[in-house]
Amino acid sequence: MSKLEDIVSLCKRRGFIFPGSDVYGGFAGTWDFGPLGVTLKKKIMDEWWKFFVEDREDMYGIDAAILMNPKTWEASGHTATFADPLVECKECKSRFRADKIADGINESVTTEEFLATHTKCPVCGKENWGPIRKFNMMFLTHVGAVLPDDDKEIAEKNIAYLRPETAQGIFTNYKNVVDTFYPDLPFGLVQQGKAFRNEISPRDFILRDRECSQMEIEYFVNPSAWEESFESMRSLQHEFLEDVVKLPKEKIHELEVPAEDRAHYSKRTIDFMFDYPNGEEELMGLAYRTDFDLSNIARESGKSMDYRDKKTNEVFIPHVIEPSIGVERLFLAVLSTAYTEDEINGEKRVVLKLPENLAPYRFCVSPLLKNKPELVEKAKEVYDTLRKKYGNVTWDDSGNIGKRYRKQDEIGTPKCIVIDFETLENDTVTIRDRDTTEQIRKNVSEL
Ligand code: GAP
């Protein structure tokens, strides 16, 4: 199994992911996607959108504002309950998420339960803890012209939060979509976008960030049919993860989340766990959110969230099945699956065996020799043709051909095309396969 440090190093070396604000020494819990990272990330997001929205008739996309009326977070329960157990070491003042440094406890741990675990401070090694305090993870900001020396009342009146989940931008648009599109049940509203969480301990590279991207579906169903839709969403997730982004089936494990560990809104949750290089972690969640959100919105806004079934005239508030996945977690699952170290003719290499539909570049085109204008000219012609046809094609004439192959292997380019003297005679090129390193000759017109 690949090591996380090797993947982090490759990501920086080859321009996939850099630490956020790197030039200033970084900024904990933030990461910047470089030219290759943003391409891979976009391809993952586009595949997801195609699979769950474009290829279906029952899904509608939306793109809601990140800043939302703070009533949203009152109604959703986030203001009151979106909190982690914070514990401080009285010796060195380091702060931790209690359930992440002690075994056998969960997010609702009490001070007494935590102290009974006799956990030592991971920083100073002492055992001298303050009480567990609830730390709300929403990032707080102020909207409009609020100054630091304004009185508390003005500041409080203008409080807003960066959204901690994209889901609420969907729920608050449910009525707009029902009133404009009149969709039949079941139907889904779908969104991709940024979410922000002030994690106490961001960790494991891009697995636990303070700023992440989510892809969420709120699938509205007749309450009497929730189980059926839950099962169909469950198998669709497997289909996407295994057949579209090609994660190995044996690395995905379902975890039925017990009632005491479920989010406040969920009556049933299955976490899809993945075998990452550092161990098993949550990749995504599938939750039955009932009518929790729509009923709360109806109460707080005074607007009806009722749905009238066109066939039966039955009126009810739909229930919701929610598959929710973090883009960064899926990105790392894809990358760690692809990361391979092997040996070719006695020489070690790193190769990213990315599926063809996700690889940042589909082809790399090179002239065999950079100092032969006739080869360069022909290679440019092939490059332009392929770029027009496929878009994601790269050019490389640096170093020798062996070095070019090593570089393209590391960034996951499935095929390298080399233009040599034979090309000038019969229009055939060498095509080298990334995974097998085998080379074949083909006519340019067959590419
Ligand atoms: N709307 C439901 C919701 O937000 P969640 O389990 O808190 O549920 C859903 O988050 C998914 O978002 C997770 O399974 C994970 O993939 C991703 N996610 C959550 N917090 C994250 C973080 N701090 N960094 C990266 N991804 C995160």
Side-chain angles (χ1 to χ4, degrees):
M1 161 100 68
S2 51
K3 292 200 294 286
L4 191 59
E5 307 88 78
D6 296 329
I7 293 173
V8 176
S9 154
L10 173 81
C11 281
K12 184 151 190 196
R13 189 167 77 242
R14 291 300 184 192
F16 282 91
I17 299 177
F18 308 114
S21 315
D22 200 12
V23 74
Y24 294 112
F27 199 53
T30 68
W31 297 91
D32 295 343
F33 285 77
L36 295 184
V38 76
T39 310
L40 175 54
K41 180 177 169 185
K42 195 168 172 311
K43 282 178 179 237
I44 291 173
M45 293 173 79
D46 288 350
E47 287 287 12
W48 187 90
W49 193 264
K50 181 171 183 315
F51 184 84
F52 286 108
V53 183
E54 288 171 3
D55 288 353
R56 297 179 62 96
E57 289 182 340
D58 57 349
M59 298 283 194
Y60 299 79
I62 66 152
D63 184 17
I66 288 175
L67 290 173
M68 301 180 71
N69 189 314
K71 282 184 189 161
T72 309
W73 310 111
E74 293 291 337
S76 68
H78 282 79
T79 316
T81 63
F82 192 58
D84 276 344
L86 173 73
V87 68
E88 185 177 297
C89 169
K90 287 208 244 168
E91 300 287 333
C92 70
K93 307 290 174 219
S94 300
R95 291 180 171 185
F96 303 96
R97 204 177 129 173
D99 57 327
K100 293 291 171 198
I101 56 167
D103 290 331
I105 56 172
N106 63 22
E107 290 163 6
S108 46
V109 62
T110 62
T111 302
E112 291 66 35
E113 284 163 352
F114 177 72
L115 294 181
T117 63
H118 292 292
T119 301
K120 303 239 181 307
C121 171
V123 173
C124 69
K126 304 260 170 55
E127 192 191 325
N128 186 9
W129 297 107
I132 300 271
R133 285 179 290 167
K134 284 283 173 197
F135 174 73
N136 194 299
M137 285 195 289
M138 285 198 291
F139 276 102
L140 188 145
T141 186
H142 294 98
V143 290
V146 179
L147 295 167
D149 57 357
D150 276 335
D151 66 35
K152 217 172 149 213
E153 202 182 324
I154 296 183
E156 271 175 12
K157 244 167 98 181
N158 291 283
I159 278 178
Y161 300 96
L162 300 186
R163 67 179 179 205
E165 61 168 9
T166 58
Q168 294 305 322
I170 297 180
F171 289 122
T172 48
N173 275 292
Y174 153 85
K175 190 171 161 50
N176 288 335
V177 176
V178 169
D179 290 350
T180 44
F181 289 83
Y182 316 105
D184 287 330
L185 279 187
F187 72 91
L189 291 187
V190 184
Q191 175 162 229
Q192 299 181 328
K194 291 273 187 179
F196 302 83
R197 297 176 180 197
N198 199 359
E199 296 282 352
I200 298 171
S201 322
R203 61 183 171 85
D204 291 337
F205 191 31
I206 52 172
L207 268 194
R208 193 166 291 282
D209 309 325
R210 292 197 166 123
E211 177 178 335
C212 66
S213 300
Q214 289 185 318
M215 304 192 281
E216 301 200 287
I217 302 171
E218 306 306 327
Y219 199 62
F220 298 93
V221 303
N222 189 313
S224 62
W226 78 267
E227 276 156 317
E228 195 183 302
S229 290
F230 191 91
E231 286 312 316
S232 79
M233 280 296 134
R234 183 178 179 176
S235 53
L236 266 183
Q237 305 312 308
H238 282 286
E239 203 179 315
F240 174 74
L241 296 173
E242 291 156 27
D243 300 345
V244 181
V245 293
K246 308 273 184 339
L247 297 185
K249 201 181 166 78
E250 63 280 6
K251 285 192 174 184
I252 302 167
H253 315 282
E254 287 192 1
L255 173 78
E256 185 77 48
V257 180
E260 63 275 20
D261 292 344
R262 287 200 291 260
H264 59 280
Y265 49 70
S266 178
K267 271 228 172 118
R268 183 177 180 198
T269 299
I270 292 179
D271 280 346
F272 284 57
M273 311 297 284
F274 186 76
D275 293 331
Y276 287 100
N278 276 15
E280 193 179 288
E281 285 281 353
E282 178 188 325
L283 164 64
M284 61 162 294
L286 176 68
Y288 169 41
R289 284 181 87 129
T290 67
D291 60 347
F292 178 86
D293 299 275
L294 290 185
S295 293
N296 288 342
I297 292 174
R299 196 187 57 245
E300 291 287 323
S301 67
K303 306 226 167 77
S304 168
M305 295 293 130
D306 282 348
Y307 179 90
R308 179 182 293 277
D309 190 293
K310 284 172 222 157
K311 285 192 203 108
T312 62
N313 257 341
E314 193 191 351
V315 176
F316 54 87
I317 293 184
H319 280 208
V320 168
I321 310 296
E322 178 197 64
S324 169
I325 187 160
V327 177
E328 288 76 7
R329 292 198 187 178
L330 183 54
F331 186 103
L332 191 58
V334 166
L335 210 62
S336 60
T337 300
Y339 185 96
T340 313
E341 289 176 8
D342 63 12
E343 215 172 289
I344 301 294
N345 302 328
E347 203 187 321
K348 286 202 162 91
R349 69 164 183 163
V350 169
V351 52
L352 274 192
K353 295 188 173 176
L354 289 169
E356 209 162 279
N357 58 333
L358 299 182
Y361 301 120
R362 187 177 177 131
F363 297 112
C364 170
V365 180
S366 305
L368 179 64
L369 299 167
K370 194 182 171 178
N371 58 0
K372 296 286 173 204
E374 62 274 37
L375 291 186
V376 176
E377 195 186 329
K378 182 67 187 172
K380 281 272 179 214
E381 192 188 304
V382 174
Y383 171 63
D384 286 342
T385 309
L386 290 180
R387 226 159 44 120
K388 272 196 201 112
K389 194 165 171 190
Y390 299 109
N392 54 344
V393 178
T394 186
W395 170 268
D396 193 358
D397 60 7
S398 61
N400 63 38
I401 205 81
K403 278 205 177 124
R404 288 180 214 163
Y405 286 158
R406 287 298 93 83
K407 177 178 165 194
Q408 296 304 322
D409 288 346
E410 284 202 6
I411 65 174
T413 309
K415 304 268 188 255
C416 285
I417 295 170
V418 177
I419 280 69
D420 54 21
F421 291 106
E422 205 182 321
T423 317
L424 303 178
E425 283 165 22
N426 61 13
D427 237 21
T428 61
V429 293
T430 308
I431 305 172
R432 183 239 187 211
D433 183 87
R434 174 195 68 196
D435 299 344
T436 63
T437 74
E438 269 166 23
Q439 301 189 12
I440 54 166
R441 278 200 91 83
K442 257 194 179 172
N443 198 285
V444 171
S445 60
E446 293 175 85
L447 295 174

